[in-house]
């Protein structure tokens, strides 16, 4: 019995995904077809239809899985200990200083190699 219910849900999910694809494709075509209409009207219609498509997609098994992942990700983001402004500024200054030092080293190596090649070519 459980396999039959799962098969029925799977078929219904496929139907939902076809509806989502049709909504998105229809929105793209409609936006192209009504190109002479006001931009704001087209943007509002596109946003409404895409919201409906996302709503339909969220009712599928994969959609519920993605929504659960999104919620779990927000829980993890709240657990992060973000650096203070002072730590961020200090780290940025260290990175900028390191980049400048490496740039000067590479400039020096490039200059020496250029002088070496110039000496070899002029002989």
């Amino acid at each position: 019995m459980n396999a039959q219910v799962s098969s029925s849900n799977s078929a219904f999910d496929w139907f939902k995904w076809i509806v989502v694809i049709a909504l998105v494709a229809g929105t793209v075509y409609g936006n192209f077809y009504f190109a002479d209409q006001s931009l704001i009207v087209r943007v509002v219609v596109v946003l409404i239809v895409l919201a409906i498509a996302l709503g339909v997609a969220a009712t599928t098994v994969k959609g519920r899985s993605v929504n659960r992942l999104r919620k779990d990700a927000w829980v993890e983001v709240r657990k992060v200990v973000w650096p203070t402004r002072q730590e961020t500024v200090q780290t940025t200054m260290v990175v900028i200083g390191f980049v400048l030092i490496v740039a000067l080293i590479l400039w020096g190596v490039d200059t020496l190699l250029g002088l070496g090649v110039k000496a070899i070519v002029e002989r």
Side-chain angles (χ1 to χ4, degrees):
M1 179 77 179
N2 195 13
Q4 194 174 24
V5 171
S6 178
S7 175
S8 174
N9 284 342
S10 177
F12 194 54
D13 273 359
W14 275 104
F15 175 73
K16 288 178 185 178
W17 284 114
I18 290 170
V19 168
V20 168
I21 291 170
L23 283 170
V24 171
T27 303
V28 170
Y29 176 75
N31 192 38
F32 172 75
Y33 185 77
F34 293 107
D36 57 337
Q37 298 297 320
S38 170
L39 178 64
I40 189 72
V41 171
R42 288 186 294 138
V43 168
V44 169
V45 170
V46 165
L47 290 177
I48 290 171
V49 174
L50 290 181
I52 293 169
L54 282 175
V56 171
T59 63
T60 64
V61 172
K62 287 214 184 267
R64 286 189 295 272
S65 174
V66 168
N67 196 29
R68 189 171 32 256
L69 176 66
R70 180 190 59 82
K71 287 179 182 178
D72 291 345
W74 274 112
V75 168
E76 292 300 320
V77 165
R78 284 190 221 112
K79 292 179 185 178
V80 172
V81 178
W82 297 101
T84 64
R85 180 176 175 86
Q86 182 182 3
E87 291 171 334
T88 305
V89 169
Q90 288 175 346
T91 304
T92 302
M93 290 303 171
V94 168
V95 169
I96 289 172
F98 185 74
V99 167
L100 287 174
I101 290 170
V102 170
L104 289 172
I105 291 170
L106 290 175
W107 172 72
V109 169
D110 182 55
T111 302
L112 289 175
L113 289 174
L115 291 173
V117 169
K118 184 178 179 181
I120 291 172
V121 170
E122 289 180 352
R123 282 188 174 190

